[in-house]
Amino acid sequence: MDEVAGLAQAMSTAHHQEVLDEYMNDSNWRKVIRMADSLCKKWSRAKQGLSETMPAFEQLTECLEPSLVQEWTAQERVAMENRGDHLKIYEATLDKLPTLADIRLRLSEAEVRYGNLSGSVSALMEGLTIERSQLLLQSHRNELLERRRKLEARIAAYEQRMAVIIKPDDDTKWLAQDPHMDFDSDTSEDALESHPDGWFTPEHDRITLPSALAPGEIERLSLKSIAMIEAELRKGQVTDALEGLRLALGEKSLCFRTEVRNADSQRTTHRAWDNVHKLDAEARKCRATYRHAWSALERLSNDPDTW
């Protein structure tokens, strides 16, 4: 249409309309006469894909309960016969789990309802937020020292607040540093060279949380209620991380299909791969957050009384 519009600029209104109509009729006629070849190609690809996926489908069917297979087969038969809204059975249905914000709101309301004004929910949320900042800081080079100063100030204020809630003593035992906190240990080389002793690395500092205590310390310090609150918040953190990971991987796959494969120049290729790397970095951040939150949940579950 762009080429025809340029040619028709000097034409009269009637001549312009006639040219556009002829062009659209010719385009539609070409689609009609080429439709058979297109459908044959699609049919061939569909048959090939069916033969390739049939073994995996049969293996999956064998792993399912026969009652579920019969129920789904009946639903498919009804959908094929009636069509319309019955085809919605093919839509993916996901049970939406409570997010970290939902869990925080519920715990805060319960805290106020029972007259507990210690602020343990908001304090633990601050600890989880600081852990997230530590992970992000390990993946950034720009303005690294300034980010570290701000993070160090947040950690100091948080530790003073948690010292009132947890009240650790000199005999309190802590776990070793969580290996899942090492998001990207090679991204801070420049700053580490400036501080060879490693004293100015707040992203590696231990955060005072019940999950950071050694086994048995939660019971000794009577922190069961605080540990239960952290466990609930960790569940929301796991849900948010998985949702972010799912979105990042989906966008990365879409970027491959729509941008990388369709790139027709060096400029568009570089731009497409930059988007892929950006989405891949976001997926790795979500993965690191998920692994760290799940590791904390496992440590909290070692004591059955914390659930």
Side-chain angles (χ1 to χ4, degrees):
M1 289 296 293
D2 293 338
E3 297 179 359
V4 176
L7 295 174
Q9 288 182 353
M11 298 178 182
S12 63
T13 303
H15 191 191
H16 189 185
Q17 184 66 40
E18 183 179 359
V19 170
L20 292 181
D21 289 343
E22 290 294 336
Y23 179 81
M24 292 304 301
N25 290 335
D26 180 70
S27 176
N28 292 333
W29 174 249
R30 288 175 181 271
K31 291 178 182 179
V32 171
I33 61 177
R34 295 175 181 175
M35 188 178 299
D37 294 337
S38 177
L39 291 177
C40 290
K41 292 180 180 179
K42 291 182 179 179
W43 173 253
S44 299
R45 289 197 298 267
K47 289 180 62 178
Q48 181 180 358
L50 181 62
S51 61
E52 293 176 354
T53 57
M54 183 58 69
F57 177 77
E58 293 177 351
Q59 183 179 3
L60 178 61
T61 304
E62 294 176 356
C63 298
L64 297 174
E65 297 181 3
S67 58
L68 288 177
V69 176
Q70 294 178 0
E71 180 182 356
W72 293 339
T73 304
Q75 292 177 355
E76 180 188 19
R77 187 182 303 108
V78 173
M80 291 294 101
E81 292 177 355
N82 300 327
R83 315 292 290 183
D85 293 338
H86 295 278
L87 295 176
K88 291 183 177 181
I89 62 170
Y90 294 106
E91 297 179 0
T93 56
L94 300 177
D95 295 334
K96 189 172 180 59
L97 298 175
T99 62
L100 182 59
D102 297 334
I103 294 177
R104 177 185 181 181
L105 178 61
R106 174 169 56 83
L107 293 176
S108 299
E109 291 176 349
E111 194 176 43
V112 174
R113 190 183 307 114
Y114 294 110
N116 183 7
L117 303 180
S118 63
S120 56
V121 176
S122 59
L124 291 174
M125 271 298 303
E126 177 66 13
L128 268 60
T129 305
I130 290 176
E131 283 186 346
R132 176 65 175 170
S133 300
Q134 287 179 319
L135 291 173
L136 295 178
L137 183 59
Q138 295 177 37
S139 63
H140 287 81
R141 288 180 180 268
N142 299 332
E143 304 177 358
L144 183 61
L145 296 180
E146 183 63 24
R147 288 173 179 265
R148 281 179 165 174
R149 292 189 183 96
K150 293 181 180 179
L151 180 58
E152 189 178 31
R154 290 183 63 185
I155 292 176
Y158 171 77
E159 293 295 336
Q160 292 179 0
R161 187 176 181 183
M162 288 302 295
V164 178
I165 297 176
I166 293 184
K167 299 177 181 179
D169 51 29
D170 296 336
D171 298 330
T172 301
K173 299 179 181 179
W174 303 90
L175 292 173
Q177 179 70 24
D178 188 357
H180 299 308
M181 286 292 290
D182 294 334
F183 176 74
D184 192 354
S185 58
D186 296 333
T187 57
S188 305
E189 293 177 355
D190 298 338
L192 288 177
E193 291 177 358
S194 303
H195 304 278
D197 295 335
W199 61 272
F200 194 62
T201 54
E203 66 270 24
H204 298 294
D205 290 351
R206 183 192 66 246
I207 302 300
T208 301
L209 289 166
S211 58
L213 294 170
E217 290 296 299
I218 293 177
E219 183 177 358
R220 188 180 70 84
L221 297 174
S222 301
L223 298 176
K224 297 179 182 179
S225 59
I226 305 297
M228 291 178 63
I229 293 175
E230 185 190 355
E232 291 297 319
L233 293 175
R234 292 291 188 183
K235 293 177 184 178
Q237 194 177 30
V238 166
T239 302
D240 290 352
L242 288 176
E243 181 67 15
L245 181 61
R246 183 179 70 85
L247 293 177
L249 293 178
E251 292 180 2
K252 181 180 176 181
S253 176
L254 181 63
C255 184
F256 266 110
R257 292 174 60 88
T258 59
E259 297 184 21
V260 175
R261 294 182 180 179
N262 297 328
D264 53 1
S265 66
Q266 186 175 5
R267 179 184 177 184
T268 55
T269 300
H270 284 311
R271 183 180 300 175
W273 277 107
D274 286 342
N275 293 334
V276 170
H277 295 323
K278 179 180 178 181
L279 294 171
D280 184 66
E282 184 64 27
R284 286 188 283 111
K285 293 175 186 177
C286 294
R287 182 192 64 179
T289 302
Y290 167 78
R291 294 176 64 184
H292 178 65
W294 186 256
S295 177
L297 267 177
E298 289 182 333
R299 292 194 297 271
L300 292 172
S301 64
N302 289 335
D303 187 356
D305 295 333
T306 60
W307 292 93

